[in-house]
Amino acid sequence: MNEEFNTIINSLINNEKVKEMKNYRQHCNTSCYDHSYSVAYLTYKISKKLNLDYVSATRGAMLHDLFLYDWRKSKRFNFHAFKHGKIAYLNAKKEFDLNDIESDMIIKHMWPITIKPPKYKEGFVLTIADKVCASKEILNAFVVFLNDNPVVRYAYLFYVFVFKNI
């Protein structure tokens, strides 16, 4: 990874609460930590290219999923998508001094589900980077599933072969 990127997030990734993110899955087999790290890197690259506040954008992206619970087993499950941005923000605020851009990014990263759009361009970058990384993680898990399950793989090949000529 990029040395500047690592310098920006160094104090975050060495924090005990941020390290706890490794204990919770986000998408399929990806931990919240690994997901946030990937999102932060993509946000960093895009924000820097667009001459935005890439430092705030990178920090906000690294903290955007600091909710610290297993949403699959939580009573919050039904509302996780709607509420975890606010929960992540409250957790991040306890651990770090956040500026307005970082705060807004964390709270609103699930837009359009959160209804209110991000106030800053960096928040829109995070929203897009989050969706891109989540999609990649889900697709990677699906590919692993197909590769690890020959019956499913052969069923898919049969389906393609049979319906290709229709």
Side-chain angles (χ1 to χ4, degrees):
M1 290 277 173
N2 182 299
E3 187 177 326
E4 181 180 46
F5 167 75
N6 286 323
T7 299
I8 293 167
I9 65 165
N10 188 51
S11 66
L12 306 180
I13 63 175
N14 287 310
N15 176 278
E16 289 305 314
K17 289 292 182 189
V18 173
K19 288 179 184 179
E20 267 186 61
M21 294 168 69
K22 294 176 182 181
N23 299 325
Y24 302 101
R25 286 187 306 139
Q26 178 57 315
H27 304 110
C28 302
N29 297 320
T30 305
S31 73
C32 285
Y33 179 92
D34 290 339
H35 167 72
S36 294
Y37 190 90
S38 297
V39 172
Y41 188 66
L42 183 55
T43 299
Y44 162 79
K45 287 175 32 177
I46 295 169
S47 296
K48 189 160 184 166
K49 184 98 172 158
L50 295 175
N51 294 316
L52 301 176
D53 181 352
Y54 64 89
V55 173
S56 295
T58 303
R59 288 173 48 85
M62 188 65 212
L63 300 171
H64 82 280
D65 278 341
L66 187 64
F67 49 81
L68 304 177
Y69 59 87
D70 185 345
W71 60 268
R72 289 164 185 80
K73 297 177 183 175
S74 173
K75 292 178 183 177
R76 298 175 183 164
F77 174 77
N78 294 334
F79 301 102
H80 173 75
F82 300 95
K83 294 189 173 190
H84 79 271
K86 181 73 171 188
I87 295 165
Y89 162 72
L90 294 172
N91 288 337
K93 190 171 90 166
K94 288 177 189 171
E95 299 294 317
F96 306 101
D97 290 326
L98 303 174
N99 65 32
D100 291 344
I101 293 173
E102 295 162 352
S103 298
D104 189 71
M105 288 175 69
I106 297 167
I107 293 168
K108 298 177 182 170
H109 78 271
M110 286 298 290
W111 182 78
I113 291 173
T114 55
I115 301 176
K116 284 187 177 182
K119 184 176 179 180
Y120 304 97
K121 292 176 185 175
E122 293 83 355
F124 285 100
V125 172
L126 168 58
T127 297
I128 292 165
D130 187 34
K131 292 358 171 220
V132 167
C133 291
S135 297
K136 181 180 174 186
E137 293 158 10
I138 292 165
L139 285 172
N140 284 342
F142 182 67
V143 167
V144 168
F145 173 76
L146 288 178
N147 286 333
D148 290 347
N149 294 282
V151 173
V152 174
R153 186 170 59 240
Y154 293 129
Y156 173 75
L157 292 173
F158 176 76
Y159 171 80
V160 169
F161 178 75
V162 170
F163 291 102
K164 182 179 177 185
N165 297 319
I166 292 180

